[in-house]
Amino acid sequence: MTATPPAPPASPASPARVPASAVEVRDLVHRYASRAGEVVALERASLRVGPAEFVSIVGPSGCGKTTLLRVVAGLLEASGGEVRVLGGRAEEAQRAH
């Protein structure tokens, strides 16, 4: 009977690259046209959410909460500023997941 040599130890998997921020919004602006004229829904909004953070967005009706989330999700285009999701543009994060 021959002994089978032990299997070599499994090499540790290389850690996945984790971005410094899960979501980063810098100087975000969103304007839209209404019958009464241009409405500024967001003006220079900025925030950073870390990879394991839990965040709530609160505020009065009409302050831009839903608009912010729609821009971050890539459902609305920002009028200005920058949105990064997992280190890339929101549209890229949608395609990756």
XYZ file of all heavy atoms in Angstrom:
692
model
N 0.846 -1.164 0.000
C 0.000 0.000 0.000
C 0.895 1.232 0.000
O 1.812 1.333 0.769
C -0.851 -0.060 1.259
C -1.939 0.927 1.215
S -2.755 1.131 2.771
C -3.975 -0.045 2.780
N 0.609 2.160 -0.886
C 1.390 3.399 -0.937
C 0.580 4.540 -0.338
O -0.624 4.630 -0.550
C 1.739 3.759 -2.397
O 0.708 3.353 -3.245
C 3.041 3.223 -2.813
N 1.266 5.362 0.405
C 0.612 6.510 1.028
C 0.525 7.652 0.035
O 1.450 7.881 -0.739
C 1.381 6.936 2.259
N -0.578 8.327 0.032
C -0.754 9.498 -0.829
C -0.259 10.721 -0.069
O -0.662 10.942 1.069
C -2.243 9.682 -1.177
O -2.746 8.462 -1.681
C -2.449 10.773 -2.187
N 0.613 11.497 -0.695
C 1.106 12.688 0.009
C -0.037 13.664 0.267
O -0.981 13.733 -0.512
C 2.147 13.273 -0.941
C 1.846 12.698 -2.277
C 1.151 11.399 -2.040
N 0.057 14.409 1.352
C -1.009 15.369 1.645
C -1.070 16.465 0.573
O -0.060 16.806 -0.027
C -0.627 15.952 3.012
C 0.834 15.698 3.145
C 1.131 14.471 2.324
N -2.262 16.952 0.356
C -2.443 18.032 -0.623
C -1.767 19.298 -0.105
O -1.739 19.541 1.101
C -3.935 18.281 -0.838
N -1.202 20.067 -1.011
C -0.580 21.320 -0.570
C -1.645 22.251 0.015
O -2.804 22.188 -0.386
C 0.033 21.901 -1.848
C -0.690 21.243 -2.965
C -1.149 19.917 -2.452
N -1.244 23.087 0.956
C -2.229 23.998 1.541
C -2.804 24.923 0.473
O -2.102 25.320 -0.449
C -1.446 24.780 2.596
C -0.015 24.594 2.251
C 0.086 23.313 1.469
N -4.079 25.211 0.598
C -4.728 26.108 -0.365
C -4.134 27.493 -0.235
O -3.910 27.979 0.869
C -6.226 26.151 -0.107
N -3.848 28.096 -1.372
C -3.315 29.453 -1.313
C -4.468 30.402 -1.034
O -5.564 30.224 -1.542
C -2.622 29.804 -2.628
O -3.548 29.767 -3.678
N -4.213 31.380 -0.195
C -5.295 32.314 0.117
C -5.712 33.060 -1.137
O -4.884 33.433 -1.960
C -4.691 33.250 1.161
C -3.220 33.125 1.006
C -2.961 31.745 0.438
N -6.995 33.236 -1.284
C -7.510 33.981 -2.436
C -7.070 35.428 -2.304
O -7.007 35.969 -1.207
C -9.026 33.885 -2.474
N -6.759 36.023 -3.424
C -6.374 37.421 -3.355
C -7.599 38.238 -2.971
O -8.684 38.002 -3.472
C -5.811 37.883 -4.701
O -6.795 37.746 -5.688
N -7.424 39.148 -2.035
C -8.582 39.921 -1.590
C -9.143 40.756 -2.732
O -8.401 41.282 -3.544
C -8.022 40.800 -0.481
C -6.556 40.833 -0.686
C -6.189 39.563 -1.414
N -10.465 40.841 -2.783
C -11.110 41.652 -3.811
C -10.787 43.116 -3.551
O -10.690 43.544 -2.410
C -12.617 41.423 -3.769
N -10.614 43.845 -4.603
C -10.323 45.264 -4.467
C -11.594 45.972 -4.012
O -12.608 45.944 -4.680
C -9.862 45.830 -5.809
C -9.413 47.250 -5.698
C -8.790 47.707 -7.008
N -8.520 49.105 -6.933
C -9.376 50.056 -7.319
N -10.529 49.727 -7.831
N -9.076 51.316 -7.211
N -11.530 46.569 -2.841
C -12.680 47.268 -2.284
C -12.456 48.763 -2.455
O -11.450 49.292 -1.986
C -12.856 46.932 -0.782
C -14.021 47.707 -0.197
C -13.036 45.439 -0.603
N -13.372 49.456 -3.131
C -13.190 50.897 -3.297
C -13.303 51.611 -1.951
O -13.957 51.130 -1.030
C -14.324 51.303 -4.233
C -15.331 50.224 -4.133
C -14.585 48.971 -3.750
N -12.658 52.758 -1.844
C -12.702 53.535 -0.613
C -14.125 53.982 -0.292
O -14.493 54.108 0.863
C -11.793 54.752 -0.731
N -14.924 54.216 -1.313
C -16.311 54.631 -1.133
C -17.210 53.755 -1.984
O -16.897 53.477 -3.133
C -16.508 56.084 -1.562
O -15.734 56.944 -0.785
N -18.335 53.335 -1.416
C -19.325 52.607 -2.208
C -20.053 53.594 -3.110
O -20.299 53.319 -4.283
C -20.307 51.871 -1.303
N -20.379 54.754 -2.561
C -21.039 55.822 -3.312
C -20.357 57.128 -2.951
O -20.144 57.427 -1.776
C -22.548 55.925 -2.970
C -23.193 57.107 -3.677
C -23.265 54.633 -3.310
N -20.019 57.895 -3.972
C -19.448 59.215 -3.739
C -20.129 60.207 -4.666
O -20.192 60.000 -5.870
C -17.944 59.215 -3.980
C -17.297 60.509 -3.576
C -15.783 60.433 -3.549
O -15.220 59.362 -3.804
O -15.181 61.475 -3.254
N -20.668 61.255 -4.077
C -21.366 62.312 -4.809
C -20.628 63.608 -4.519
O -20.422 63.951 -3.362
C -22.842 62.414 -4.345
C -23.536 63.586 -5.017
C -23.581 61.118 -4.606
N -20.215 64.301 -5.591
C -19.480 65.554 -5.408
C -20.145 66.674 -6.187
O -20.295 66.589 -7.408
C -18.039 65.411 -5.887
C -17.176 64.694 -4.887
C -15.735 64.731 -5.305
N -15.397 63.371 -5.714
C -14.403 63.050 -6.496
N -13.641 63.964 -7.009
N -14.168 61.802 -6.786
N -20.547 67.706 -5.478
C -21.115 68.923 -6.084
C -22.215 68.620 -7.094
O -22.274 69.218 -8.167
C -20.016 69.758 -6.727
C -19.030 70.301 -5.710
O -19.462 70.620 -4.591
O -17.826 70.402 -6.027
N -23.094 67.699 -6.754
C -24.155 67.264 -7.661
C -25.201 68.358 -7.843
O -25.671 68.961 -6.875
C -24.823 66.006 -7.113
C -25.867 65.357 -8.003
C -25.238 64.887 -9.308
C -26.513 64.205 -7.281
N -25.550 68.605 -9.099
C -26.575 69.577 -9.461
C -27.567 68.867 -10.370
O -27.173 68.109 -11.264
C -25.962 70.785 -10.211
C -27.041 71.751 -10.673
C -24.934 71.493 -9.349
N -28.845 69.092 -10.112
C -29.874 68.595 -11.031
C -30.954 69.660 -11.160
O -31.524 70.104 -10.171
C -30.498 67.283 -10.563
C -31.486 66.749 -11.552
N -31.103 66.177 -12.738
C -32.830 66.761 -11.560
C -32.169 65.823 -13.421
N -33.239 66.185 -12.728
N -31.207 70.051 -12.410
C -32.239 71.036 -12.721
C -33.199 70.406 -13.718
O -32.803 69.597 -14.542
C -31.627 72.278 -13.349
C -30.699 73.031 -12.449
C -30.164 74.282 -13.178
N -29.276 75.029 -12.323
C -27.957 74.919 -12.349
N -27.368 74.118 -13.205
N -27.229 75.625 -11.522
N -34.441 70.810 -13.637
C -35.404 70.375 -14.639
C -36.372 71.511 -14.936
O -36.535 72.436 -14.147
C -36.134 69.101 -14.210
C -36.963 69.225 -12.960
C -38.299 69.583 -13.023
C -36.408 68.965 -11.709
C -39.070 69.694 -11.874
C -37.171 69.064 -10.558
C -38.497 69.437 -10.645
O -39.248 69.544 -9.513
N -36.987 71.412 -16.103
C -37.927 72.442 -16.540
C -39.324 72.110 -16.043
O -39.724 70.953 -16.008
C -37.923 72.536 -18.055
N -40.030 73.145 -15.633
C -41.434 72.996 -15.263
C -42.211 74.113 -15.959
O -41.625 74.998 -16.576
C -41.617 73.079 -13.746
O -41.512 74.412 -13.307
N -43.507 74.077 -15.834
C -44.326 75.137 -16.449
C -43.990 76.502 -15.854
O -44.093 77.513 -16.537
C -45.803 74.849 -16.229
C -46.271 73.668 -17.008
C -47.724 73.420 -16.771
N -47.958 71.992 -16.938
C -49.096 71.406 -16.779
N -50.162 72.105 -16.456
N -49.210 70.116 -16.951
N -43.600 76.506 -14.599
C -43.267 77.765 -13.929
C -41.835 78.212 -14.204
O -41.418 79.273 -13.748
C -43.482 77.620 -12.429
N -41.059 77.406 -14.918
C -39.661 77.733 -15.199
C -38.732 76.654 -14.667
O -39.173 75.575 -14.277
N -37.458 76.960 -14.640
C -36.459 75.984 -14.196
C -36.550 75.750 -12.689
O -36.697 76.684 -11.908
C -35.063 76.484 -14.555
C -33.972 75.499 -14.191
C -32.600 76.002 -14.567
O -32.063 76.840 -13.828
O -32.095 75.546 -15.594
N -36.447 74.484 -12.294
C -36.453 74.103 -10.884
C -35.093 73.492 -10.561
O -34.627 72.613 -11.273
C -37.570 73.078 -10.585
C -37.482 72.589 -9.146
C -38.939 73.681 -10.872
N -34.471 73.980 -9.509
C -33.205 73.411 -9.044
C -33.552 72.392 -7.970
O -33.926 72.750 -6.855
C -32.258 74.504 -8.490
C -30.967 73.869 -8.003
C -31.980 75.549 -9.549
N -33.442 71.114 -8.324
C -33.778 70.045 -7.371
C -32.606 69.737 -6.448
O -32.808 69.412 -5.281
C -34.192 68.784 -8.133
N -31.390 69.821 -6.968
C -30.175 69.601 -6.178
C -29.168 70.675 -6.549
O -28.974 70.955 -7.736
C -29.570 68.228 -6.465
C -30.394 67.011 -6.102
C -29.779 65.765 -6.702
C -30.507 66.885 -4.595
N -28.516 71.231 -5.557
C -27.496 72.231 -5.827
C -26.276 71.967 -4.967
O -26.319 72.084 -3.740
C -28.029 73.636 -5.555
C -27.039 74.710 -5.951
C -27.648 76.102 -5.906
O -28.783 76.251 -5.435
O -26.970 77.030 -6.340
N -25.205 71.504 -5.608
C -23.913 71.220 -4.975
C -24.034 70.234 -3.817
O -23.427 70.404 -2.768
C -23.246 72.514 -4.539
C -22.974 73.456 -5.720
C -22.050 74.571 -5.400
N -20.752 73.991 -5.046
C -19.903 74.573 -4.214
N -20.184 75.710 -3.645
N -18.753 74.001 -3.949
N -24.806 69.182 -4.010
C -24.945 68.130 -2.988
C -23.715 67.237 -3.018
O -23.247 66.847 -4.089
C -26.202 67.309 -3.259
N -23.195 66.912 -1.847
C -22.033 66.033 -1.735
C -22.244 65.059 -0.589
O -22.797 65.424 0.446
C -20.758 66.843 -1.477
O -20.471 67.690 -2.574
N -21.807 63.824 -0.796
C -21.831 62.829 0.270
C -20.920 61.680 -0.104
O -20.571 61.486 -1.257
C -23.247 62.314 0.553
C -23.937 61.449 -0.501
C -23.715 59.981 -0.201
C -25.428 61.732 -0.481
N -20.508 60.932 0.909
C -19.676 59.753 0.699
C -20.210 58.643 1.594
O -20.431 58.849 2.779
C -18.228 60.051 1.045
C -17.303 58.879 0.756
C -15.871 59.217 1.016
N -15.517 60.390 0.216
C -14.463 61.141 0.440
N -13.654 60.868 1.426
N -14.203 62.181 -0.307
N -20.427 57.463 1.008
C -20.917 56.300 1.749
C -19.859 55.214 1.625
O -19.501 54.819 0.510
C -22.262 55.798 1.187
C -22.744 54.581 1.964
C -23.308 56.910 1.219
N -19.364 54.735 2.759
C -18.355 53.683 2.771
C -18.938 52.335 2.395
O -20.159 52.149 2.386
N -18.084 51.363 2.057
C -18.533 50.055 1.588
C -19.486 49.312 2.519
O -20.367 48.626 2.055
C -17.232 49.266 1.417
C -16.185 50.290 1.223
C -16.627 51.478 2.019
N -19.366 49.445 3.821
C -20.242 48.689 4.724
C -21.151 49.601 5.534
O -21.736 49.173 6.516
C -19.401 47.833 5.659
N -21.285 50.845 5.117
C -22.096 51.793 5.869
C -23.576 51.685 5.508
O -23.934 51.355 4.379
C -21.630 53.227 5.615
C -20.306 53.539 6.246
C -19.913 54.986 6.051
O -20.030 55.495 4.925
O -19.480 55.593 7.038
N -24.412 51.993 6.464
C -25.861 52.067 6.285
C -26.220 53.538 6.426
O -25.863 54.170 7.424
C -26.567 51.226 7.354
C -28.057 51.264 7.247
C -28.724 50.385 6.416
C -28.792 52.188 7.968
C -30.099 50.419 6.318
C -30.165 52.233 7.879
C -30.828 51.349 7.048
N -26.927 54.075 5.449
C -27.231 55.506 5.435
C -28.715 55.720 5.210
O -29.332 55.021 4.413
C -26.433 56.207 4.305
C -26.813 57.663 4.184
C -24.950 56.068 4.547
N -29.278 56.697 5.900
C -30.660 57.133 5.675
C -30.623 58.555 5.158
O -29.833 59.373 5.633
C -31.468 57.101 6.969
O -31.606 55.788 7.434
N -31.468 58.845 4.200
C -31.574 60.202 3.669
C -32.936 60.725 4.091
O -33.961 60.164 3.706
C -31.413 60.207 2.138
C -30.041 59.640 1.778
C -31.594 61.608 1.586
C -29.821 59.417 0.317
N -32.921 61.765 4.887
C -34.172 62.317 5.413
C -34.251 63.806 5.094
O -33.237 64.468 4.894
C -34.296 62.097 6.937
C -34.356 60.625 7.262
C -33.149 62.740 7.677
N -35.463 64.297 5.036
C -35.679 65.712 4.792
C -37.124 65.943 4.417
O -37.882 64.999 4.181
N -37.506 67.208 4.348
C -38.892 67.524 4.029
C -39.241 67.186 2.582
O -38.364 67.027 1.730
C -38.979 69.037 4.274
C -37.588 69.528 4.130
C -36.695 68.403 4.577
N -40.516 67.086 2.324
C -41.005 66.815 0.977
C -40.475 67.879 0.012
O -40.479 69.075 0.318
C -42.536 66.842 0.996
O -43.041 66.619 -0.294
N -39.981 67.418 -1.129
C -39.517 68.346 -2.150
C -38.091 68.824 -1.990
O -37.647 69.696 -2.733
N -37.316 68.236 -1.068
C -35.950 68.733 -0.849
C -34.916 68.058 -1.748
O -33.757 68.442 -1.737
C -35.548 68.614 0.614
S -35.210 66.937 1.164
N -35.315 67.012 -2.528
C -34.389 66.406 -3.475
C -33.938 64.999 -3.133
O -33.048 64.459 -3.793
N -34.542 64.362 -2.136
C -34.121 63.006 -1.735
C -34.265 62.010 -2.883
O -33.325 61.294 -3.214
C -34.951 62.514 -0.538
C -34.876 63.368 0.704
C -35.765 62.850 1.815
C -37.236 62.799 1.469
N -37.925 64.066 1.382
N -35.434 61.956 -3.481
C -35.682 61.003 -4.568
C -34.841 61.346 -5.782
O -34.294 60.457 -6.444
C -37.178 60.974 -4.923
O -37.911 60.574 -3.763
C -37.461 60.007 -6.059
N -34.695 62.619 -6.085
C -33.860 63.029 -7.212
C -32.426 62.572 -7.004
O -31.789 62.036 -7.917
C -33.924 64.555 -7.390
O -35.284 64.936 -7.622
C -33.063 65.016 -8.552
N -31.904 62.740 -5.797
C -30.550 62.289 -5.477
C -30.412 60.792 -5.736
O -29.471 60.343 -6.411
C -30.211 62.605 -4.021
C -28.915 62.006 -3.488
C -27.714 62.616 -4.194
C -28.818 62.206 -1.990
N -31.351 60.015 -5.221
C -31.273 58.560 -5.394
C -31.416 58.152 -6.866
O -30.753 57.215 -7.314
C -32.330 57.877 -4.535
C -32.114 58.031 -3.030
C -33.296 57.441 -2.262
C -30.819 57.395 -2.593
N -32.243 58.840 -7.617
C -32.398 58.520 -9.045
C -31.125 58.836 -9.827
O -30.756 58.097 -10.742
C -33.585 59.270 -9.633
C -34.914 58.708 -9.189
C -36.063 59.551 -9.731
N -37.317 58.995 -9.313
C -38.235 58.543 -10.149
N -38.051 58.612 -11.449
N -39.356 58.050 -9.682
N -30.453 59.914 -9.471
C -29.190 60.239 -10.142
C -28.124 59.207 -9.778
O -27.406 58.710 -10.644
C -28.727 61.673 -9.805
C -27.331 61.934 -10.364
C -29.711 62.701 -10.355
N -28.031 58.849 -8.500
C -27.052 57.847 -8.068
C -27.313 56.507 -8.756
O -26.387 55.816 -9.168
C -27.058 57.690 -6.528
C -26.251 56.474 -6.090
C -26.505 58.951 -5.869
N -28.581 56.153 -8.939
C -28.941 54.892 -9.592
C -28.767 54.944 -11.105
O -28.878 53.918 -11.774
C -30.386 54.531 -9.255
N -28.481 56.118 -11.656
C -28.310 56.233 -13.100
C -29.622 56.383 -13.850
O -29.661 56.253 -15.071
N -30.709 56.663 -13.135
C -32.020 56.817 -13.778
C -32.253 58.237 -14.272
O -33.078 58.453 -15.156
C -33.131 56.423 -12.801
C -33.054 54.991 -12.280
C -34.114 54.754 -11.212
C -33.201 54.002 -13.418
N -31.551 59.195 -13.703
C -31.583 60.585 -14.150
C -30.155 61.027 -14.412
O -29.227 60.586 -13.732
C -32.157 61.505 -13.061
C -33.640 61.510 -12.799
C -33.960 62.456 -11.634
C -34.416 61.929 -14.023
N -30.000 61.923 -15.358
C -28.676 62.468 -15.649
C -28.478 63.741 -14.843
O -29.370 64.602 -14.787
C -28.556 62.774 -17.140
C -27.164 63.156 -17.559
C -27.037 63.285 -19.070
O -27.783 62.609 -19.779
O -26.187 64.068 -19.506
N -27.331 63.864 -14.212
C -27.016 65.059 -13.431
C -26.803 66.244 -14.365
O -26.305 66.097 -15.479
C -25.768 64.828 -12.592
N -27.183 67.428 -13.902
C -26.909 68.657 -14.651
C -25.472 69.095 -14.425
O -24.904 69.831 -15.226
C -27.859 69.774 -14.204
O -29.202 69.392 -14.369
N -24.878 68.647 -13.330
C -23.498 68.980 -13.019
C -23.013 68.150 -11.840
O -23.804 67.492 -11.168
N -21.727 68.173 -11.611
C -21.145 67.405 -10.511
C -20.762 66.006 -10.947
O -20.762 65.679 -12.131
N -20.455 65.180 -9.963
C -19.956 63.834 -10.258
C -20.559 62.815 -9.296
O -20.714 63.079 -8.113
C -18.432 63.822 -10.113
C -17.803 62.509 -10.438
C -16.285 62.541 -10.309
O -15.743 63.479 -9.717
O -15.653 61.598 -10.801
N -20.900 61.652 -9.841
C -21.402 60.536 -9.032
C -20.550 59.322 -9.352
O -20.373 58.971 -10.527
C -22.878 60.223 -9.353
C -23.340 58.995 -8.591
C -23.762 61.404 -9.026
N -20.006 58.680 -8.316
C -19.224 57.449 -8.476
C -19.877 56.361 -7.636
O -20.217 56.591 -6.476
C -17.781 57.637 -8.006
C -17.063 58.831 -8.594
C -16.795 58.754 -10.038
N -15.671 57.892 -10.341
C -15.326 57.583 -11.577
N -15.994 58.027 -12.595
N -14.305 56.800 -11.800
N -20.066 55.195 -8.230
C -20.623 54.041 -7.524
C -19.610 52.912 -7.670
O -19.263 52.528 -8.793
C -21.988 53.631 -8.103
C -22.523 52.394 -7.405
C -22.987 54.783 -7.984
N -19.116 52.414 -6.553
C -18.091 51.367 -6.544
C -16.887 51.764 -7.385
O -16.298 50.955 -8.096
C -18.681 50.034 -7.014
C -19.846 49.513 -6.182
C -20.431 48.258 -6.820
C -19.402 49.233 -4.756
N -16.537 53.035 -7.326
C -15.358 53.535 -8.013
C -15.560 53.924 -9.459
O -14.680 54.481 -10.082
N -16.735 53.643 -10.032
C -16.991 53.981 -11.434
C -18.273 54.782 -11.569
O -18.913 55.135 -10.583
N -18.627 55.062 -12.806
C -19.877 55.776 -13.048
C -21.062 54.878 -12.717
O -20.965 53.658 -12.769
C -19.938 56.216 -14.498
C -18.885 57.255 -14.832
C -19.034 57.841 -16.216
N -20.073 57.181 -16.978
C -20.020 56.930 -18.267
N -18.972 57.278 -18.954
N -21.003 56.327 -18.887
N -22.194 55.478 -12.392
C -23.387 54.719 -12.006
C -23.789 53.725 -13.092
O -24.146 52.585 -12.814
C -24.548 55.666 -11.697
N -23.700 54.125 -14.346
C -24.080 53.249 -15.450
C -23.181 52.013 -15.504
O -23.623 50.916 -15.813
C -24.010 53.992 -16.796
C -24.950 55.178 -16.888
C -24.400 56.439 -16.218
O -23.173 56.529 -15.973
O -25.212 57.321 -15.909
N -21.895 52.184 -15.181
C -20.966 51.062 -15.186
C -21.290 50.089 -14.065
O -21.218 48.882 -14.234
C -19.527 51.576 -15.032
C -19.057 52.396 -16.212
C -17.774 53.153 -15.911
O -17.306 53.142 -14.752
O -17.236 53.772 -16.850
N -21.672 50.602 -12.892
C -22.018 49.748 -11.758
C -23.277 48.939 -12.071
O -23.391 47.787 -11.697
C -22.212 50.576 -10.498
N -24.229 49.530 -12.795
C -25.448 48.823 -13.174
C -25.113 47.635 -14.060
O -25.650 46.546 -13.895
C -26.408 49.751 -13.930
C -27.157 50.694 -13.055
C -28.062 51.573 -13.882
O -27.847 51.796 -15.079
N -29.092 52.110 -13.260
N -24.236 47.834 -15.035
C -23.880 46.749 -15.961
C -23.102 45.645 -15.263
O -23.219 44.479 -15.612
C -23.068 47.311 -17.123
C -23.906 48.058 -18.122
C -23.063 48.417 -19.313
N -22.085 49.426 -18.922
C -22.063 50.652 -19.403
N -22.926 51.031 -20.277
N -21.158 51.503 -19.000
N -22.300 46.005 -14.251
C -21.458 45.015 -13.567
C -22.257 44.116 -12.654
O -21.837 43.014 -12.324
C -20.364 45.729 -12.774
N -23.418 44.566 -12.208
C -24.196 43.773 -11.251
C -25.512 43.463 -11.804
O -26.437 43.565 -12.040
C -24.298 44.476 -9.911
C -22.950 44.596 -9.264
N -22.535 45.693 -8.604
C -21.920 43.737 -9.210
C -21.314 45.518 -8.161
N -20.915 44.343 -8.524
